[in-house]
Amino acid sequence: LDFATNLSIRSEDAPLADILSFTLSTIGIPTNEVTVTSGEVSGSMDMEIRPNNEVENSGAIQAENTDIETTIQPLPIENAKGSTRFQGNKWTVDTLTGSYGEIDAVAKGLIDFDNGYDLSAVTKNVTVEEFTNTIKLALPVPTTGNFDAVAYMTGPIEQPEFSGSATAVEPLQVDRVTFTSASTDFLLQGQQLYLEDIAGTPSTGGSLRGSGEVRLSDSTPFTFNLAGRSLPARELAQLYDLNPGVKLGLVSADASVVGNSGDVNTTIDW
C-alpha cells in the first residue's frame, strides 16, 4: 500500500485457527509449527499500515474450547480457554487454563516472538497416576500420592525449556513405604525429562535423595539413581513382614533403577 490505513477488526465466536493465522502473519511469524484443531475467539485488533513501515497491531482476545498442537510439545493442549493482550510481537497471557494429557494447569506470562517465552503454570493436586499416564511412564512399584507443581516456560520460540518443582501435598505411598514429605525439581528439554534434587522422608526415619532421567518416547526408558541414608533397617524389614533374626540398626544404600518398555532392573549397594 502507498497510503496510510487504519483498520479496526472485531470478532465474536470466530474460528481461532483463522484469527491466529491472520494475526501472526501480520507480524511475520510462521504458523506451520502451531495447529489449532478447534476453538473460538472473540475480541478486537487495531492495525496501523504505513508506507515502507512494518504493520503495527494491538488488541485483546478471549479464546474458548481450544485444542492446540505444537511441534515443541509431545501432546496437545486441550480444552483451553483464556484471555491475552498483544501489541506488535509481544503477547501478554493474562490467564490461560487447559489440560495437558491428564494434567490441568493455569498459565500466565509473556510470549515475545523476538526474545522468547516467559510463562509460568500452576497445577494443583495432580495424582501420581495422572502424571505417569500423561508421560506414559510405568513405575516399577505401586505409587500413590498428590502433588502441587509450578512450571516455567523460558527460552527461544523455536526451542523452549520447561523447568519447575513439584511437592507432595499429602503422604506419598511407594510400595509399602510411606513418605511424609517428597519433592523434586524438573527440567524438560525436547523429549528428555530430568528430575533433579529428588527428596523424600520415610515415615520410619532417615532420608532419600536422588535424580532421574526419563525419555518421552513410545518405550519411555528411564534411569533413577537414589541414595538412602540413616534408614532404620528393622522398621523397614517389618513393613515387608521380614524377621532377620538379628538386631539391625541404621543402614545406608545406593540404588540404580533402569527401565525400558516395562522391563526394570534394580541394583542396590548397601
Side-chain angles (χ1 to χ4, degrees):
L1 295 176
D2 56 0
F3 55 89
T5 303
N6 292 335
L7 294 177
S8 183
I9 302 172
R10 301 290 183 268
S11 67
E12 183 173 353
D13 297 331
L16 176 58
D18 296 340
I19 298 298
L20 185 63
S21 177
F22 172 75
T23 304
L24 294 180
S25 65
T26 63
I27 56 176
I29 303 299
T31 60
N32 59 324
E33 295 182 353
V34 178
T35 301
V36 179
T37 56
S38 67
E40 298 82 44
V41 63
S42 301
S44 62
M45 180 173 68
D46 296 320
M47 303 176 60
E48 293 184 3
I49 303 173
R50 299 292 183 269
N52 304 317
N53 287 317
E54 294 183 354
V55 175
E56 295 186 7
N57 62 23
S58 62
I61 58 174
Q62 298 81 41
E64 293 185 350
N65 307 316
T66 299
D67 294 345
I68 299 177
E69 298 176 1
T70 73
T71 58
I72 62 174
Q73 295 181 131
L75 298 177
I77 298 172
E78 299 178 316
N79 301 317
K81 67 176 181 178
S83 59
T84 182
R85 294 170 287 120
F86 58 91
Q87 183 162 8
N89 288 13
K90 293 181 174 63
W91 289 43
T92 300
V93 179
D94 295 316
T95 180
L96 178 67
T97 62
S99 300
Y100 184 75
E102 297 185 16
I103 300 173
D104 297 331
V106 180
K108 63 179 180 179
L110 177 68
I111 303 174
D112 187 326
F113 289 98
D114 292 325
N115 299 310
Y117 298 97
D118 185 12
L119 297 171
S120 63
V122 175
T123 64
K124 296 288 187 181
N125 280 313
V126 177
T127 68
V128 172
E129 182 180 17
E130 289 169 339
F131 172 73
T132 54
N133 286 347
T134 295
I135 67 171
K136 296 180 173 58
L137 173 63
L139 295 176
V141 295
T143 304
T144 58
N146 290 45
F147 284 81
D148 288 350
V150 178
Y152 301 94
M153 183 178 181
T154 57
I157 296 296
E158 298 82 7
Q159 196 172 10
E161 286 188 352
F162 301 84
S163 61
S165 60
T167 303
V169 295
E170 60 182 32
L172 179 70
Q173 190 72 31
V174 181
D175 202 16
R176 299 190 186 184
V177 181
T178 301
F179 289 82
T180 57
S181 65
S183 62
T184 185
D185 295 335
F186 59 84
L187 171 66
L188 177 62
Q189 293 179 316
Q191 300 290 95
Q192 199 75 13
L193 174 64
Y194 300 92
L195 300 176
E196 299 291 344
D197 198 21
I198 297 173
T201 304
S203 62
T204 52
S207 65
L208 187 72
R209 298 290 186 273
S211 61
E213 294 184 24
V214 180
R215 178 70 178 176
L216 304 183
S217 61
D218 291 339
S219 59
T220 318
F222 63 86
T223 300
F224 287 93
N225 295 302
L226 304 170
R229 297 293 181 263
S230 300
L231 302 173
R234 179 185 176 188
E235 286 79 357
L236 289 173
Q238 290 175 340
L239 292 176
Y240 290 88
D241 302 321
L242 300 176
N243 185 1
V246 296
K247 184 177 180 179
L248 299 175
L250 301 178
V251 298
S252 295
D254 295 317
S256 175
V257 184
V258 179
N260 192 353
S261 298
D263 296 326
V264 179
N265 295 309
T266 302
T267 303
I268 302 177
D269 294 324
W270 297 96

